[in-house]
Each structure stands twice: as structure tokens, then as C-alpha cells.
Amino acid sequence: MKSVDTSLRGSLFPNINEDGWKFVSSLALLSLVVTMLWFPLGCVLFAITILSFYCFRDPARITPVLSDAVVAPADGMVISITREKGPDALGLGSKNYTRVCVFTSLFGVQINRMPIKGKVTKTFYDAGKNFSGSLDKADINNEKNMFVLRNGTYDFALVQIATVCSKRIVNSAKNGDEFLAGQRFGGIRFGGYVDLYLPDKVEPQICVGQQMIAGETIVAHINSDAPRIEGEIR
């Protein structure tokens, strides 16, 4: 395994993903031009440029090498864990799942990662409207991207949901593509929701309120008979 970067430079100047460079470079150029015309506004735009830089950071992650481990698909807080049917749009409406919903904030890492090794067998995209006017993830107007990831006999489902406006979801997962656990597949620019649907009888080993680290935090083990755990604030 490669050595872990613990340098100050790595903390202050993290790598950012390719998708972010067009935003950061455009804002930096605009900040420079505006600063020459009106310094106060230029300073504001420069601060936004720095914020944008950190929004698109893409740090390396250490994914556990365990064939049955399901890892978090997104950075952020677990806001709900519910028992329900799979997404109808993916043909999973007749199957029972446990849905783990992770909220990624504006200040979190935006990159999404595969929860487990598998093959993409079905995809569905809904562009929604350009402006939904709602932060509610259940709003039918919100942009959504979803796909099925098959691992052996198990079908997992992943749903990316943007908030407020669309054209923010980035996704490279196509039908027939194979991924490793922890591998990048896209993200949601400036935050959103990522739902992970665990197959029936695969019990989550995380709690509502916990902070997830994409590609690292173990959400469940598919071959384990351990019951769902509960947590409490301490």
C-alpha cells in the first residue's frame, strides 16, 4: 500500500477532481478581473473561489480489502435508515431493502464511491427541473440518478439526489461496467443525498447521526448474521 500523506501541504492544498477545475479556474479568473475593477467584490469572489476549491477536493481513501464489506458511498451524515421496497424505476419495487440515506453538505467531499465490488446491471436518470425550489430529497422535481450494482446473487441500489437545482449530478457508471469497492463513480456538486439500498437480511452496522467516510466506513457485511446496531448520543 502507498504511504499516507500526512504533510501540511496535503492538508492545505488537497487534490481536486477534474470536474472541479473548470469551476475553480473560472472563479479564479473572474476574481482577478473583478479585483482590478472593485477590490471589495473581488475579495468576496476570491473567498468563494477558495470555498469552491475545497468543495471539489478529492482525497485518497483507504478501502478495507474484505470481499463481504459494504462501505459508505458518500461522505456525510446518516439521516435515516428505513425498511422499504427498492426503487420502481430500477425494477426493484417487489424486493425488500434497507435504505441508508447519507446527506453530503456543501462543505463535505463531493466524490461518491462504490459500496462493494460489483457490476452495473441497470441505470435510470431523471433530469428533474432546472430549479425545484425545494431542499426536500423526496421532491419529484429534484434531479436523480440511480443504478443497480450486482455482487454475486445480491442486487444493491444506489440513488444520487441533487437539491435546489439540477445539472449537478456527475456519474460515470454505465450498464455493464464493473467496479471495485471504494472506486470513484461520480458525485453531486455542492452536496446532496445518496441512498444506499441494502438487500434484505443485510443488516446495517451504522446508526442514524453517524458521520460516514466514503470508501472507508463499513456500513454492513453481506455474509454476517449480526443484528442491526443501535446508537446513543454521548
Side-chain angles (χ1 to χ4, degrees):
M1 184 181 73
K2 296 181 179 178
S3 61
V4 179
D5 183 8
T6 59
S7 66
L8 179 61
R9 179 189 177 282
S11 299
L12 295 178
F13 303 100
N15 293 326
I16 68 173
N17 64 74
E18 294 180 1
D19 181 61
W21 276 117
K22 58 185 177 182
F23 291 93
V24 175
S25 59
S26 297
L27 281 170
L29 180 60
L30 180 61
S31 299
L32 180 61
V33 173
V34 172
T35 297
M36 292 186 293
L37 299 175
W38 188 24
F39 185 76
L41 181 57
C43 291
V44 173
L45 289 175
F46 180 73
I48 294 175
T49 301
I50 298 299
L51 174 61
S52 179
F53 179 87
Y54 279 92
C55 282
F56 287 103
R57 64 191 185 278
D58 186 7
R61 292 291 163 80
I62 310 302
T63 300
V65 184
L66 296 170
S67 60
D68 73 331
V70 183
V71 296
D75 279 38
M77 179 185 291
V78 178
I79 62 171
S80 66
I81 300 176
T82 56
R83 307 280 191 183
E84 56 186 72
K85 300 295 184 180
D88 287 328
L90 295 175
L92 301 177
S94 62
K95 296 183 178 181
N96 296 319
Y97 282 88
T98 298
R99 179 175 63 85
V100 178
C101 178
V102 180
F103 172 68
T104 299
S105 73
L106 171 66
F107 303 103
V109 174
Q110 315 296 311
I111 303 299
N112 296 156
R113 295 173 180 261
M114 287 296 178
I116 197 167
K117 179 180 179 180
K119 181 177 182 178
V120 177
T121 59
K122 190 170 184 178
T123 62
F124 177 83
Y125 175 74
D126 180 3
K129 293 184 178 180
N130 288 332
F131 186 81
S132 72
S134 173
L135 291 175
D136 183 0
K137 68 182 293 291
D139 192 320
I140 61 173
N141 293 322
N142 287 349
E143 180 189 18
K144 299 180 181 69
N145 180 72
M146 56 185 75
F147 58 90
V148 177
L149 185 66
R150 177 163 296 169
N151 173 280
T153 59
Y154 291 97
D155 282 335
F156 294 79
L158 278 163
V159 181
Q160 298 168 290
I161 305 172
T163 54
V164 180
C165 55
S166 63
K167 309 304 180 186
R168 288 171 43 194
I169 293 177
V170 179
N171 173 54
S172 63
K174 304 294 187 296
N175 283 333
D177 288 349
E178 296 186 6
F179 290 87
L180 296 175
Q183 191 171 348
R184 301 168 180 83
F185 70 86
I188 308 174
R189 300 180 186 125
F190 308 111
Y193 299 90
V194 178
D195 288 344
L196 169 61
Y197 285 79
L198 298 173
D200 194 25
K201 298 181 181 180
V202 176
E203 295 292 344
Q205 299 300 296
I206 41 87
C207 309
V208 172
Q210 278 189 264
Q211 291 289 333
M212 300 290 100
I213 300 177
E216 291 192 358
T217 304
I218 295 179
V219 175
H221 290 274
I222 59 177
N223 296 324
S224 173
D225 58 359
R228 173 178 168 179
I229 65 173
E230 300 292 338
E232 61 182 31
I233 298 174
R234 293 179 179 173

